[in-house]
PDB file of all heavy atoms in Angstrom:
ATOM      1  N   LEU U  74     -82.741  79.560 -55.898  1.00 84.00           N
ATOM      2  CA  LEU U  74     -82.075  78.939 -54.757  1.00 84.00           C
ATOM      3  C   LEU U  74     -82.642  77.562 -54.465  1.00 84.00           C
ATOM      4  O   LEU U  74     -81.926  76.659 -54.016  1.00 84.00           O
ATOM      5  CB  LEU U  74     -82.163  79.839 -53.531  1.00 84.00           C
ATOM      6  CG  LEU U  74     -81.400  81.169 -53.657  1.00 84.00           C
ATOM      7  CD1 LEU U  74     -81.561  81.999 -52.388  1.00 84.00           C
ATOM      8  CD2 LEU U  74     -79.922  80.936 -53.939  1.00 84.00           C
ATOM      9  N   SER U  75     -83.937  77.367 -54.733  1.00 82.00           N
ATOM     10  CA  SER U  75     -84.530  76.039 -54.574  1.00 82.00           C
ATOM     11  C   SER U  75     -83.909  75.050 -55.551  1.00 82.00           C
ATOM     12  O   SER U  75     -83.590  73.908 -55.189  1.00 82.00           O
ATOM     13  CB  SER U  75     -86.048  76.114 -54.791  1.00 82.00           C
ATOM     14  OG  SER U  75     -86.625  74.823 -54.766  1.00 82.00           O
ATOM     15  N   LEU U  76     -83.719  75.481 -56.798  1.00 79.00           N
ATOM     16  CA  LEU U  76     -83.095  74.611 -57.799  1.00 79.00           C
ATOM     17  C   LEU U  76     -81.642  74.309 -57.440  1.00 79.00           C
ATOM     18  O   LEU U  76     -81.161  73.188 -57.643  1.00 79.00           O
ATOM     19  CB  LEU U  76     -83.162  75.269 -59.180  1.00 79.00           C
ATOM     20  CG  LEU U  76     -84.522  75.246 -59.875  1.00 79.00           C
ATOM     21  CD1 LEU U  76     -84.479  76.093 -61.144  1.00 79.00           C
ATOM     22  CD2 LEU U  76     -84.937  73.825 -60.215  1.00 79.00           C
ATOM     23  N   VAL U  77     -80.940  75.301 -56.910  1.00 82.00           N
ATOM     24  CA  VAL U  77     -79.545  75.091 -56.498  1.00 82.00           C
ATOM     25  C   VAL U  77     -79.477  74.042 -55.394  1.00 82.00           C
ATOM     26  O   VAL U  77     -78.648  73.124 -55.427  1.00 82.00           O
ATOM     27  CB  VAL U  77     -78.918  76.417 -56.032  1.00 82.00           C
ATOM     28  CG1 VAL U  77     -77.576  76.164 -55.352  1.00 82.00           C
ATOM     29  CG2 VAL U  77     -78.731  77.359 -57.211  1.00 82.00           C
ATOM     30  N   ASP U  78     -80.363  74.158 -54.407  1.00 79.00           N
ATOM     31  CA  ASP U  78     -80.370  73.191 -53.301  1.00 79.00           C
ATOM     32  C   ASP U  78     -80.684  71.782 -53.813  1.00 79.00           C
ATOM     33  O   ASP U  78     -80.053  70.801 -53.390  1.00 79.00           O
ATOM     34  CB  ASP U  78     -81.402  73.603 -52.249  1.00 79.00           C
ATOM     35  CG  ASP U  78     -80.977  74.837 -51.471  1.00 79.00           C
ATOM     36  OD1 ASP U  78     -79.777  75.161 -51.489  1.00 79.00           O
ATOM     37  OD2 ASP U  78     -81.858  75.487 -50.864  1.00 79.00           O
ATOM     38  N   ARG U  79     -81.657  71.673 -54.721  1.00 72.00           N
ATOM     39  CA  ARG U  79     -82.005  70.361 -55.280  1.00 72.00           C
ATOM     40  C   ARG U  79     -80.817  69.772 -56.031  1.00 72.00           C
ATOM     41  O   ARG U  79     -80.516  68.584 -55.921  1.00 72.00           O
ATOM     42  CB  ARG U  79     -83.201  70.480 -56.218  1.00 72.00           C
ATOM     43  CG  ARG U  79     -84.539  70.618 -55.528  1.00 72.00           C
ATOM     44  CD  ARG U  79     -85.673  70.613 -56.533  1.00 72.00           C
ATOM     45  NE  ARG U  79     -85.682  69.394 -57.319  1.00 72.00           N
ATOM     46  CZ  ARG U  79     -86.441  69.212 -58.399  1.00 72.00           C
ATOM     47  NH1 ARG U  79     -87.218  70.191 -58.827  1.00 72.00           N
ATOM     48  NH2 ARG U  79     -86.420  68.072 -59.041  1.00 72.00           N
ATOM     49  N   THR U  80     -80.144  70.596 -56.806  1.00 76.00           N
ATOM     50  CA  THR U  80     -79.004  70.121 -57.584  1.00 76.00           C
ATOM     51  C   THR U  80     -77.883  69.626 -56.674  1.00 76.00           C
ATOM     52  O   THR U  80     -77.278  68.577 -56.927  1.00 76.00           O
ATOM     53  CB  THR U  80     -78.484  71.240 -58.498  1.00 76.00           C
ATOM     54  OG1 THR U  80     -79.542  71.682 -59.350  1.00 76.00           O
ATOM     55  CG2 THR U  80     -77.330  70.731 -59.365  1.00 76.00           C
ATOM     56  N   LYS U  81     -77.606  70.359 -55.607  1.00 75.00           N
ATOM     57  CA  LYS U  81     -76.580  69.935 -54.649  1.00 75.00           C
ATOM     58  C   LYS U  81     -76.939  68.586 -54.036  1.00 75.00           C
ATOM     59  O   LYS U  81     -76.084  67.696 -53.908  1.00 75.00           O
ATOM     60  CB  LYS U  81     -76.427  70.982 -53.546  1.00 75.00           C
ATOM     61  CG  LYS U  81     -75.734  72.265 -53.978  1.00 75.00           C
ATOM     62  CD  LYS U  81     -75.646  73.230 -52.803  1.00 75.00           C
ATOM     63  CE  LYS U  81     -74.940  74.522 -53.205  1.00 75.00           C
ATOM     64  NZ  LYS U  81     -74.908  75.495 -52.068  1.00 75.00           N
ATOM     65  N   ASP U  82     -78.200  68.428 -53.653  1.00 69.00           N
ATOM     66  CA  ASP U  82     -78.634  67.173 -53.054  1.00 69.00           C
ATOM     67  C   ASP U  82     -78.474  66.010 -54.034  1.00 69.00           C
ATOM     68  O   ASP U  82     -78.027  64.919 -53.659  1.00 69.00           O
ATOM     69  CB  ASP U  82     -80.094  67.271 -52.607  1.00 69.00           C
ATOM     70  CG  ASP U  82     -80.279  68.212 -51.426  1.00 69.00           C
ATOM     71  OD1 ASP U  82     -79.276  68.514 -50.742  1.00 69.00           O
ATOM     72  OD2 ASP U  82     -81.427  68.654 -51.205  1.00 69.00           O
ATOM     73  N   GLU U  83     -78.858  66.252 -55.302  1.00 64.00           N
ATOM     74  CA  GLU U  83     -78.781  65.182 -56.302  1.00 64.00           C
ATOM     75  C   GLU U  83     -77.344  64.779 -56.591  1.00 64.00           C
ATOM     76  O   GLU U  83     -77.020  63.598 -56.718  1.00 64.00           O
ATOM     77  CB  GLU U  83     -79.477  65.636 -57.590  1.00 64.00           C
ATOM     78  CG  GLU U  83     -80.997  65.760 -57.436  1.00 64.00           C
ATOM     79  CD  GLU U  83     -81.639  66.549 -58.560  1.00 64.00           C
ATOM     80  OE1 GLU U  83     -80.899  66.996 -59.468  1.00 64.00           O
ATOM     81  OE2 GLU U  83     -82.864  66.737 -58.530  1.00 64.00           O
ATOM     82  N   LEU U  84     -76.443  65.753 -56.673  1.00 70.00           N
ATOM     83  CA  LEU U  84     -75.048  65.463 -57.000  1.00 70.00           C
ATOM     84  C   LEU U  84     -74.305  64.818 -55.836  1.00 70.00           C
ATOM     85  O   LEU U  84     -73.288  64.139 -56.042  1.00 70.00           O
ATOM     86  CB  LEU U  84     -74.330  66.754 -57.412  1.00 70.00           C
ATOM     87  CG  LEU U  84     -74.768  67.364 -58.747  1.00 70.00           C
ATOM     88  CD1 LEU U  84     -74.055  68.680 -58.986  1.00 70.00           C
ATOM     89  CD2 LEU U  84     -74.484  66.402 -59.909  1.00 70.00           C
ATOM     90  N   SER U  85     -74.788  65.001 -54.626  1.00 65.00           N
ATOM     91  CA  SER U  85     -74.110  64.454 -53.457  1.00 65.00           C
ATOM     92  C   SER U  85     -74.437  62.989 -53.214  1.00 65.00           C
ATOM     93  O   SER U  85     -73.806  62.335 -52.395  1.00 65.00           O
ATOM     94  CB  SER U  85     -74.472  65.264 -52.210  1.00 65.00           C
ATOM     95  OG  SER U  85     -75.841  65.107 -51.892  1.00 65.00           O
ATOM     96  N   LEU U  86     -75.437  62.459 -53.944  1.00 58.00           N
ATOM     97  CA  LEU U  86     -75.840  61.077 -53.718  1.00 58.00           C
ATOM     98  C   LEU U  86     -74.807  60.110 -54.277  1.00 58.00           C
ATOM     99  O   LEU U  86     -74.192  60.345 -55.310  1.00 58.00           O
ATOM    100  CB  LEU U  86     -77.198  60.810 -54.371  1.00 58.00           C
ATOM    101  CG  LEU U  86     -78.388  61.559 -53.773  1.00 58.00           C
ATOM    102  CD1 LEU U  86     -79.626  61.332 -54.613  1.00 58.00           C
ATOM    103  CD2 LEU U  86     -78.626  61.117 -52.341  1.00 58.00           C
ATOM    104  N   SER U  87     -74.645  58.995 -53.605  1.00 54.00           N
ATOM    105  CA  SER U  87     -73.738  57.945 -54.074  1.00 54.00           C
ATOM    106  C   SER U  87     -74.257  57.334 -55.359  1.00 54.00           C
ATOM    107  O   SER U  87     -75.467  57.208 -55.576  1.00 54.00           O
ATOM    108  CB  SER U  87     -73.619  56.859 -52.998  1.00 54.00           C
ATOM    109  OG  SER U  87     -73.035  55.692 -53.522  1.00 54.00           O
ATOM    110  N   ASP U  88     -73.330  56.906 -56.223  1.00 60.00           N
ATOM    111  CA  ASP U  88     -73.721  56.260 -57.477  1.00 60.00           C
ATOM    112  C   ASP U  88     -74.428  54.933 -57.233  1.00 60.00           C
ATOM    113  O   ASP U  88     -75.217  54.478 -58.058  1.00 60.00           O
ATOM    114  CB  ASP U  88     -72.485  56.010 -58.354  1.00 60.00           C
ATOM    115  CG  ASP U  88     -71.903  57.301 -58.912  1.00 60.00           C
ATOM    116  OD1 ASP U  88     -72.636  58.298 -58.942  1.00 60.00           O
ATOM    117  OD2 ASP U  88     -70.722  57.295 -59.294  1.00 60.00           O
ATOM    118  N   GLU U  89     -74.143  54.285 -56.100  1.00 65.00           N
ATOM    119  CA  GLU U  89     -74.713  52.967 -55.844  1.00 65.00           C
ATOM    120  C   GLU U  89     -76.091  53.034 -55.189  1.00 65.00           C
ATOM    121  O   GLU U  89     -76.834  52.063 -55.202  1.00 65.00           O
ATOM    122  CB  GLU U  89     -73.782  52.156 -54.931  1.00 65.00           C
ATOM    123  CG  GLU U  89     -72.469  51.745 -55.570  1.00 65.00           C
ATOM    124  CD  GLU U  89     -71.463  52.887 -55.637  1.00 65.00           C
ATOM    125  OE1 GLU U  89     -71.544  53.790 -54.770  1.00 65.00           O
ATOM    126  OE2 GLU U  89     -70.639  52.897 -56.569  1.00 65.00           O
ATOM    127  N   VAL U  90     -76.416  54.168 -54.600  1.00 76.00           N
ATOM    128  CA  VAL U  90     -77.649  54.272 -53.823  1.00 76.00           C
ATOM    129  C   VAL U  90     -78.739  54.943 -54.644  1.00 76.00           C
ATOM    130  O   VAL U  90     -78.508  55.971 -55.288  1.00 76.00           O
ATOM    131  CB  VAL U  90     -77.400  55.077 -52.528  1.00 76.00           C
ATOM    132  CG1 VAL U  90     -78.703  55.286 -51.767  1.00 76.00           C
ATOM    133  CG2 VAL U  90     -76.381  54.347 -51.654  1.00 76.00           C
ATOM    134  N   ILE U  91     -79.933  54.356 -54.640  1.00 87.00           N
ATOM    135  CA  ILE U  91     -81.100  54.989 -55.262  1.00 87.00           C
ATOM    136  C   ILE U  91     -81.822  55.756 -54.159  1.00 87.00           C
ATOM    137  O   ILE U  91     -82.446  55.154 -53.274  1.00 87.00           O
ATOM    138  CB  ILE U  91     -82.045  53.955 -55.905  1.00 87.00           C
ATOM    139  CG1 ILE U  91     -81.293  53.098 -56.918  1.00 87.00           C
ATOM    140  CG2 ILE U  91     -83.231  54.670 -56.555  1.00 87.00           C
ATOM    141  CD1 ILE U  91     -80.741  53.865 -58.096  1.00 87.00           C
ATOM    142  N   ALA U  92     -81.689  57.063 -54.178  1.00 87.00           N
ATOM    143  CA  ALA U  92     -82.261  57.892 -53.125  1.00 87.00           C
ATOM    144  C   ALA U  92     -82.513  59.284 -53.693  1.00 87.00           C
ATOM    145  O   ALA U  92     -82.092  59.603 -54.802  1.00 87.00           O
ATOM    146  CB  ALA U  92     -81.317  57.964 -51.925  1.00 87.00           C
ATOM    147  N   GLY U  93     -83.220  60.082 -52.921  1.00 87.00           N
ATOM    148  CA  GLY U  93     -83.443  61.463 -53.340  1.00 87.00           C
ATOM    149  C   GLY U  93     -84.901  61.840 -53.358  1.00 87.00           C
ATOM    150  O   GLY U  93     -85.779  61.076 -52.945  1.00 87.00           O
ATOM    151  N   ASP U  94     -85.158  63.033 -53.846  1.00 91.00           N
ATOM    152  CA  ASP U  94     -86.499  63.612 -53.839  1.00 91.00           C
ATOM    153  C   ASP U  94     -87.081  63.650 -55.248  1.00 91.00           C
ATOM    154  O   ASP U  94     -86.374  63.964 -56.211  1.00 91.00           O
ATOM    155  CB  ASP U  94     -86.453  65.037 -53.288  1.00 91.00           C
ATOM    156  CG  ASP U  94     -85.951  65.069 -51.849  1.00 91.00           C
ATOM    157  OD1 ASP U  94     -86.568  64.375 -51.028  1.00 91.00           O
ATOM    158  OD2 ASP U  94     -84.965  65.765 -51.566  1.00 91.00           O
TER     159      ASP U  94
END
Side-chain angles (χ1 to χ4, degrees):
L74 294 180
S75 175
L76 285 172
V77 169
D78 289 342
R79 283 185 59 190
T80 302
K81 287 180 179 177
D82 291 342
E83 291 165 0
L84 291 176
S85 67
L86 294 173
S87 165
D88 290 340
E89 291 77 28
V90 175
I91 304 297
D94 298 304

